[in-house]
């Protein structure tokens, strides 16, 4: 730290201290995070917790050897992991040891985005934030602060911000991920698929994957069950423009033209209905508006779908018949990351309806009815009521958005409409990579009076922050209980396994301390998180000590299939499965799915597709040394024949240039027989530009950077991101 | 005496590399080195390619050229299960064993000695499966005694089609791939 | 179409094996050269030339000792676990050529050294009285001297063969899988040694003799090459692909131009002319032979590492 910045820093803190002192009067410093002496002990200790490298939250057991973290394994008691973690969970060790981690709170000391910081104490950081938040509340009202929080770790910050008075709390898991799917299923069945998905993959006799690239998408239980289904000889049908890992297990691989899935779905349903192969009894009993729906399918013959999708009519018929053959144990997987083309909620509705035709909702090998334990929340005082309502969806523009829309808040921050947003709290979401069109995100950030980022590494979003708060990684902290909706009820505990290496703190501590500094201490009636957890567990009749020892407490299994006695009821207006949706009609949308064409790439350009690599989670694991050792950079997949034409071979470096002339970092070519000639594919999350990520910086390219265009789903506001086209420009300097 | 081997079901394997990560953490394999790895073997062409995914490592060959070429006896066949091991304190790092192994299973550890898969003998001797086998989310890996006709591995080999890698290299590998 | 993606990236192995760089070819070359020198100087001992000149029996073995030490030093430099070097000599591994080689070198050193005692040139006499006494004792037993000559020739042959056997024992490297490799390295070692002596000797008889011998060695080497290549070509597919690395693959330019052309054919032609007194003896031919021999070791070691099973 230069002496100059040191002086400047002292000035800031002197100013903030006086402001904060009023609030500090009733803010008792919470006790320091627990440091049980057991952790310094010699020998081997095994401590159960649950994983946080993605949102699946698998039960895990960490092994500590002579006080040093050694490995993390699956907890055999845990129904999610069944004792085995996915590669990211196994490599979670690297999150603790990552040398590029954030270490101390930081306050920006030059322009936004310059990544120039001042290290400050926690008290100084909180005082600074509190001052800004008071000002925003005074000038614009509490709604002008929004919280973006992804994952269970955000629970306490949400509480603090609700106490502060804002209703604007969101995550990219809706409008950038599963939102369209959930809207489509909710419109059809009155219920969502949920996360973890309520799919009975392991018992499916026929499994249809439309893009869902299980095996690369490593959501643990799903992959385990997928392997079970494959091992049991289930018929696997995969529609994907890329010969995915799942496709390599398929009996029928359909190399579909990107963006035409709705045509395929409609043609499948056409075959099932016209050939009378659908589950008539189920549809008669539970269906609503089937006749209108059936009539609407008339034009969608396999012959019609052929030129759209590139899938031969015979193949469409054969696969439809195969689905019918195994019904109701045919599962058409609902997908998860479904924000593709902007008509995604309707496509998801078609998936829901195809499942309905097969009678799989409620059936073994289809969709089960999940169960969960009853663990009451902590009895907090009521939150202040907001007069203005949420900012993200003015006038209910997206009538079927049942969760807040990140990009809606972003838009409001840019336009100031319906009301200004002046502060962002960002917890565990790298908005620069997670939201489409980076430029809009940066524009919104430039309108803010305060941007606080809580993260574990100096990712891109932290680079734009006014205040960066370093969090202890999941292996170093308590979090809220995981009371999961799954095949069987259970509750899981995350508890610290090792100490945080520096001055990083758990989110609960930050959230509580911040609330206290802001004079909201009454919302934290508990002393520390152990008291909080103990309180919740005791209220549920469970033992905190037992949970600490076992990591998981399971409840009594309940019937999860209709024929076992699980209720098969539908929370739609008609109380039935809505083949024809009056809700949609009333809102001015197609009541049955209707196919529309999407623009195709111009000559010489390719559609940019993206997805997951099994060893990385989004943009959060590239600096994890263990996982980056598995895959240090991403590659651009291109059809080998096309590559030859472009005189490219595997290992060459190219830059991708999109339709808006945005050029990516250099990325290595993977010339392969595993992809269609009209698209290219890359793994999301690479191409980091944050300088603090010393290891990941500049490795590979970022799909997000190239996603300057997105198609907003009119039903629910999701951002379809598969609509960008790129060309490849050879890069001479590497290779 | 036992003769340890692995049977890996390529039908179930999704190539997720969990086995590689688990080996790293279990055995402290240093950054930049791998005792096991994944091979994605694609044949045919779009739109009807075929892909076999294999988790590969030292084959603990019955006829291990890496042992016979070792000038110091550092590379040796362990008494338990016939596992091929390297005695770090005897190894001079001449790299002969690396040249001798057709599978590329060995590397020089940054500390100077030849290193490779140990079949997690430290776990196996305690009755556990090797780390990679124990972690595999698809349960596609099986470890056991090939000489015991009742072992899971023998039973799988008896009932399923399988192959080994580079059979013509004459090393008699003990890792079998079910197809 | 075959598309194989391997996620492994172990240094020295991936994407291609390159565990041995300059040290090993240099070691193999110097080993071969010393082997040739031993055979030549042993031959001169048998011929009784130590009686009229000290070059081939005193200076040459000394030079060989130095060269061999350099070679061993190169080998040492290649070891990754250098402090454990002594482990080589704590054991004898019967199946490991490298173990045989290490022990062979342990005998080669004294054998070469004994050679130097046969006749100590005048300037060095009286420097180390003990050596003078041993030399005198040797000279009382001409049979022992003969045996020293035989021993040097024998050990030289073994050493020359060893440099090839070492590589050909690696079944995993198809290019080396040839029974001709030891012959190739032996003959190449002999020809290099002949060229070397030719280059530095002051004795016209020796120069003429060795130039002739070298011509024979070089011709022989061409035939051995023929056998080596055709043997691999007619073996399995991997061996075929391996030798193609030399014939028309990435190593072909170096192989054809430097090893065969400039390393064998050109010096052979020059020396044939020279021994027939069409041209004068110049250092050109022997230098080319030496460089050719060194390049041969480089090409075989590098291309061999490149070659692999599939
Ligand atoms: N271009 C593109 N955009 C996408 C996607 C895509 O495939 N391509 N996928 C979409 C999908 S499906 C989703 S679900 C979203 C995911 O979007 P995000 O959840 O935002 O995912 P990440 O980009 O990984 O950002 C996570 C951030 O949390 C930080 N973090 C990790 N662990 C912790 C912790 O313990 N505490 C704190 N405080 N921070 C932590 C990481 O360092 C990282 O900065 O992205 C969506 N956006
Ligand atoms: N390892 C790992 N696993 C993860 C995650 C992670 O970060 N890492 N993230 C998790 C999360 S939050 C999510 S949402 C999921 C996302 O994973 P999924 O929901 O399974 O898949 P998507 O990301 O939607 O889609 C990627 C696949 O869709 C194909 N695809 C692209 N366009 C089209 C098209 O037009 N039609 C069809 N039929 N296919 C198409 C691509 O080729 C690719 O195979 O993964 C989860 N699992
Ligand atoms: S799926 Fe993998 S990364 Fe996600 S919680 Fe489970 S083990 Fe962790
Ligand atoms: S962990 Fe199992 S499924 Fe994953 S790559 Fe290894 S062997 Fe295959
Ligand atoms: S695979 Fe290689 S290292 Fe392992 S025993 Fe066989 S030859 Fe030796
Ligand atoms: S590197 Fe070590 S183990 Fe390998 S052959 Fe040489 S001495 Fe033996
Ligand atoms: S058996 Fe053990 S050492 Fe060998 S690859 Fe598996 S985890 Fe690694
Ligand atoms: Mo997601």
């Amino acid at each position: 730290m230069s002496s100059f910045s040191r002086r400047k820093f002292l000035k800031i803190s002197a100013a903030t201290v006086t402001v904060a002192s009023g609030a500090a009067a009733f803010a008792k410093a919470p006790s320091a995070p627990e440091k049980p002496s057991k952790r310094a002990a010699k020998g081997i200790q095994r401590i159960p917790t649950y994983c946080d490298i993605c949102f699946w939250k698998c039960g895990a057991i960490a092994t500590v050897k002579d006080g040093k973290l050694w490995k993390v394994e699956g907890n055999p008691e845990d129904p999610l992991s069944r004792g085995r973690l996915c590669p990211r969970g196994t490599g979670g060790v690297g999150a603790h040891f990552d040398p590029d981690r954030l270490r101390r709170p930081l306050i920006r000391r030059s322009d936004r985005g310059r990544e120039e910081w001042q290290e400050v104490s926690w008290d100084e950081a909180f005082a600074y934030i509190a001052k800004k938040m008071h000002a925003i509340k005074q000038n614009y009202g509490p709604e002008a602060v929004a919280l973006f929080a992804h994952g269970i770790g955000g629970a306490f910050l949400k509480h603090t911000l609700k106490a502060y008075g804002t209703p604007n709390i969101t995550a990219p898991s809706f409008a950038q991920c599963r939102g369209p799917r959930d809207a489509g299923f909710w419109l059809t069945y009155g219920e969502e698929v949920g996360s973890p998905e309520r799919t009975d993959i392991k018992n499916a006799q026929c499994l249809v994957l439309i893009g869902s690239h299980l095996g690369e998408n490593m959501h643990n239980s799903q992959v385990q069950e997928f392997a079970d289904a494959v091992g049991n000889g289930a018929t696997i049908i995969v529609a994907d423009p890329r010969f995915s890992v799942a496709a390599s297990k398929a009996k029928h691989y359909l190399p579909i033209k990107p963006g035409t899935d709705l045509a395929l779905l409609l043609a499948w349903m056409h075959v099932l209905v016209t050939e009378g192969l659908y589950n008539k009894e189920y549809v008669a009993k539970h269906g609503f508006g089937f006749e209108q729906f059936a009539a609407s399918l008339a034009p969608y013959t396999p012959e019609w779908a052929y030129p759209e999708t590139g899938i031969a009519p015979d193949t469409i018929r054969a696969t439809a018949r195969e689905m019918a053959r195994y019904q109701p144990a045919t599962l058409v997987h609902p997908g998860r990351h479904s924000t593709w083309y902007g008509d995604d909620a309707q496509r998801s509705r078609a998936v829901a309806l195809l499942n309905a035709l097969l009678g799989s909702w409620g059936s073994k090998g289809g969709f089960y009815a999940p169960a969960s334990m009853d663990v009451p929340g902590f009895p907090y005082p009521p939150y202040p009521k907001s007069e203005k309502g949420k900012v993200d969806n003015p006038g209910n523009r997206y009538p079927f958005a049942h969760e807040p829309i990140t990009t809606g808040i972003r838009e409001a921050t840019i336009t100031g409409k319906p009301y200004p947003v002046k502060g962002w709290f960002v917890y565990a979401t790298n908005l620069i990579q997670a939201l489409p069109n980076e430029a809009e995100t940066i524009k919104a950030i430039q309108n803010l009076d305060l941007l606080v980022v809580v993260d574990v590494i100096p990712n891109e979003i932290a680079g734009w922050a006014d205040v960066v708060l370093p969090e202890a990684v999941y292996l170093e902290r308590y979090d809220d209980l995981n009371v999961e909706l799954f095949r069987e009820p259970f509750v899981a505990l995350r508890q610290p396994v090792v100490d945080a290496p520096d001055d990083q703190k758990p989110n609960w501590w930050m959230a509580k301390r911040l609330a206290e500094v802001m004079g909201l201490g009454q919302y934290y009636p508990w002393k520390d998180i152990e008291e909080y957890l103990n309180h919740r567990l005791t209220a549920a009749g469970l033992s905190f000590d037992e949970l600490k020892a076992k990591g998981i407490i399971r409840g009594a299994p309940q019937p999860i299939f209709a024929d076992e006695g699980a209720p098969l009821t539908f929370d739609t207006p008609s109380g039935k499965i809505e083949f024809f949706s009056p809700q949609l009609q009333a809102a001015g949308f197609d009541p049955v799915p209707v196919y529309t064409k999407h623009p195709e790439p111009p000559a010489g350009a390719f559609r940019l597709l993206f997805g997951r690599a099994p060893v990385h989670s989004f943009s959060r694991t590239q600096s994890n040394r263990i996982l980056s050792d598995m895959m240090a950079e991403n590659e651009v997949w291109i059809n080998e024949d096309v590559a030859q034409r472009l005189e490219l071979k595997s290992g060459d470096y190219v830059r991708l240039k999109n339709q808006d002339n945005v050029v990516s970092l250099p990325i290595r070519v993977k010339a392969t027989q595993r992809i269609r000639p009209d698209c290219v594919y890359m793994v999301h999350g690479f191409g980091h530009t944050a300088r603090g990520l010393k290891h990941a910086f500049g490795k590979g390219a970022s799909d997000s950077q190239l996603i300057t265009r997105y198609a907003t789903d009119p039903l629910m506001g999701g951002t379809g991101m598969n609509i960008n086209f790129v060309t490849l420009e050879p890069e001479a300097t590497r290779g | 005496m036992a003769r340890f081997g692995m049977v890996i079901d390529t039908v179930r394997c999704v190539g997720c590399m969990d086995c590689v990560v688990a080996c790293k953490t279990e055995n402290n394999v240093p950054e930049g080195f791998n005792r096991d790895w994944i091979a994605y073997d694609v044949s045919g062409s779009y739109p009807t390619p075929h892909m076999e995914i294999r988790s590969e490592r030292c084959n603990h060959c019955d006829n291990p050229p890496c042992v016979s070429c070792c000038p110091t006896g550092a590379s040796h066949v362990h008494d338990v299960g016939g596992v091929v091991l390297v005695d770090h304190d005897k190894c001079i790092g001449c790299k002969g064993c690396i040249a001798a192994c057709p599978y590329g299973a060995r590397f020089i550890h940054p500390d100077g000695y030849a290193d490779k898969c140990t079949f997690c003998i430290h776990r196996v001797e305690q009755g556990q499966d090797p780390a990679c086998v124990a972690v595999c989310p698809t349960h596609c890996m099986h470890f056991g005694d090939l000489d015991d006709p009742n072992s899971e591995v023998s039973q799988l080999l008896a009932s399923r089609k399988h192959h080994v890698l580079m059979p013509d290299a004459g090393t008699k590998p003990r890792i079998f791939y079910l197809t | 179409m075959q598309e194989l993606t391997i996620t492994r990236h172990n240094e020295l192995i991936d994407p291609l094996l390159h565990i041995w760089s300059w040290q090993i070819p240099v070691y193999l070359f110097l080993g071969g050269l010393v082997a040739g020198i031993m055979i030549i100087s042993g031959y001169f001992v048998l011929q009784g030339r130590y009686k009229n000149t000290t070059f081939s029996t005193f200076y040459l073995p000394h030079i060989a000792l130095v060269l061999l030490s350099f070679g061993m030093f190169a080998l040492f430099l290649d070891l990754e676990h250098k402090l454990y070097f002594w482990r080589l000599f704590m054991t004898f591994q019967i199946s490991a050529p490298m173990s045989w080689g290490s022990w062979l070198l342990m005998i080669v050193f004294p054998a070469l050294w004994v050679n130097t005692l046969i006749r100590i040139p005048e300037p060095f006499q009286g420097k180390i009285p003990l050596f003078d006494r041993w030399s005198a004792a040797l000279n009382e037993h001409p049979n022992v001297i003969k045996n020293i000559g035989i021993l040097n020739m024998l050990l030289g042959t073994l050493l020359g063969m060893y440099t090839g056997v070492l590589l050909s024992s690696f079944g995993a490297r198809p290019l080396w899988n040839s029974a001709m490799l030891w012959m190739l390295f032996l003959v190449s070692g002999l020809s290099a040694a002949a060229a070397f002596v030719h280059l530095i000797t002051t004795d016209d008889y020796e120069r003429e003799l060795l130039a002739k011998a070298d011509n024979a060695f070089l011709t022989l080497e061409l035939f051995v090459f023929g056998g080596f290549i055709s043997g691999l070509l007619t073996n399995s597919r991997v061996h075929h692909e391996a030798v193609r690395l030399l014939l028309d693959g990435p190593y072909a330019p170096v192989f054809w131009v430097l090893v065969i052309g400039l390393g064998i054919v050109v010096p052979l032609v020059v020396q044939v002319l020279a021994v027939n007194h069409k041209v004068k003896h110049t250092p050109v031919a022997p230098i080319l032979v030496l460089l050719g021999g060194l390049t041969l070791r480089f090409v075989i070691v590098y291309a061999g590492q490149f070659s692999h099973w599939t």
Side-chain angles (χ1 to χ4, degrees), chain C:
Chain C
M1 279 287 184
Q2 188 74 15
E3 180 184 317
L4 184 65
T5 310
I6 287 189
T7 63
R8 183 187 65 203
H9 46 85
N10 286 334
E11 220 181 279
L12 305 181
I13 301 177
D14 298 309
L16 293 163
L17 189 74
H18 56 280
I19 51 169
W20 289 328
S21 50
W22 64 270
Q23 297 93 335
I24 296 300
V26 164
Y27 161 68
L28 293 178
F29 172 69
L30 292 176
L33 180 59
V34 167
I37 290 176
M38 289 179 84
I39 295 171
I40 290 168
S41 88
Y43 172 76
F44 284 145
V45 170
L46 280 183
Q47 293 293 304
R49 283 192 58 76
Y50 60 92
K51 291 175 191 142
N52 17 13
T53 156
T54 50
F55 175 73
S56 53
T57 50
F58 183 81
Y59 291 104
L60 209 48
H62 265 116
I63 292 169
L65 281 172
V66 172
L67 291 176
L68 195 57
S69 304
F70 274 127
M72 299 261 307
F73 186 64
L75 182 65
F76 174 75
L77 285 184
D78 175 66
L79 298 185
E80 305 283 345
H81 222 191
K82 296 192 174 55
L83 294 180
Y84 290 70
F85 180 71
W86 52 276
R87 283 284 188 182
L88 271 175
F89 302 105
M90 298 301 292
T91 176
F92 174 65
Q93 296 291 325
I94 196 157
S95 64
M98 235 185 272
S99 187
W100 283 88
S102 324
W103 287 109
L104 182 61
L105 289 171
M106 287 303 99
I107 316 174
V108 161
F109 272 101
L112 274 168
W113 177 72
V114 154
N115 211 351
T116 65
L117 291 181
I118 293 175
R119 186 162 161 222
I120 299 175
E122 262 157 47
F124 293 97
Q125 282 175 11
K127 291 266 150 71
I128 304 176
L130 186 66
F131 288 3
D132 292 334
R133 257 178 280 138
W134 283 348
S135 181
L138 273 181
N139 277 292
E140 279 161 31
H141 300 89
N143 269 342
V144 174
I145 290 185
K146 266 216 164 82
N147 280 326
I148 290 173
I150 293 173
L151 180 70
N152 269 280
M153 287 187 76
L154 194 74
L155 288 177
T157 310
L158 286 177
L159 181 60
M161 287 169 60
Y162 160 70
T163 60
V165 168
L166 173 67
L167 293 187
S168 60
S169 67
F170 290 111
R173 307 293 140 204
L175 183 67
W176 299 340
N177 291 176
S178 165
M180 306 293 278
L181 200 61
W182 68 263
M183 258 190 267
L184 187 62
F185 278 20
L186 178 60
V187 175
S188 164
L190 272 168
S191 106
F196 184 70
V197 179
H198 176 179
L199 194 65
I200 64 169
T201 186
T202 46
D203 185 306
D204 283 344
Y205 165 81
E206 285 179 357
R207 177 178 299 128
E208 192 68 17
L209 179 74
L210 287 166
K212 284 183 186 149
D214 203 11
N215 287 344
F217 294 145
L218 289 172
T219 315
L220 188 59
E221 198 177 342
L222 284 177
F223 280 103
V224 177
F225 254 124
F228 173 76
I229 290 169
S230 61
L232 288 173
L233 277 178
T234 52
N235 202 333
S236 76
R237 184 180 49 84
V238 286
H239 295 98
H240 183 100
E241 277 168 15
V243 77
R244 293 280 296 274
L245 292 171
L246 300 184
L247 300 184
D248 55 2
Y251 296 92
V254 177
F255 177 71
W256 288 116
V257 177
L258 298 187
V259 177
I260 301 292
L262 292 175
I264 302 180
V265 177
V266 172
L268 181 59
V269 171
V270 173
Q271 279 186 160
V272 167
L273 294 175
V275 296
N276 290 314
H277 308 293
K278 298 273 189 326
V279 298
K280 274 175 59 178
H281 279 293
T282 61
V284 172
I287 285 176
L288 284 177
V289 170
L290 284 167
L291 289 177
L294 180 62
T295 316
L296 167 68
R297 305 307 192 288
F298 268 95
V299 164
I300 296 286
V301 168
Y302 278 76
Q305 295 184 79
F306 200 102
S307 72
H308 53 85
W309 286 79
T310 47

Side-chain angles (χ1 to χ4, degrees), chain A residues 265-278:
Chain A
L265 287 158
L266 291 168
W268 271 337
M269 294 195 284
H270 174 99
V271 175
L272 292 180
V273 170
T274 54
E275 297 189 7
L277 298 172
Y278 66 99

Side-chain angles (χ1 to χ4, degrees), chain A residues 70-71 84-87 90-91 218 224 227-228 230 241 243 245 248-249 253 255 614-615 629-630 673-676, chain B residues 10-14 16-18 20-21 24-26 31-32 45-47 49 51 133-139:
Chain A
W70 174 14
K71 57 186 171 182
R84 298 178 179 220
L85 300 181
C86 93
T90 308
M218 277 312 288
Q224 296 198 20
D228 289 341
V230 171
F243 188 72
V245 163
S248 76
K249 314 287 177 199
Y253 166 55
V615 288
D629 217 10
M630 301 295 115
Q673 294 295 334
R674 291 177 57 194
I675 190 164
R676 280 176 67 96
Chain B
T10 65
V11 174
R12 292 181 76 110
C13 173
V14 294
C16 68
M17 300 177 77
D18 207 357
V20 186
V21 183
K24 283 238 146 181
T25 57
E26 174 72 29
E31 206 176 313
S45 52
Y46 202 83
M51 178 162 70
V133 174
V135 81
C136 174
T138 70
H139 291 254

Side-chain angles (χ1 to χ4, degrees), chain A residues 297-319:
Chain A
L297 291 175
Y300 302 128
T301 62
E303 283 69 22
W304 163 83
Y306 181 32
E308 294 300 322
T309 59
I311 310 299
D314 285 351
T315 311
I316 297 177
R317 286 207 170 78
T319 43

Side-chain angles (χ1 to χ4, degrees), chain B residues 57-61 64-67 84 100-103 105-106 116 171:
Chain B
R57 60 189 52 58
C58 168
N59 283 284
H60 296 271
C61 306
C66 54
V67 171
V84 175
C101 171
Y103 305 99
R106 290 172 170 249
K116 66 168 195 72
T171 55

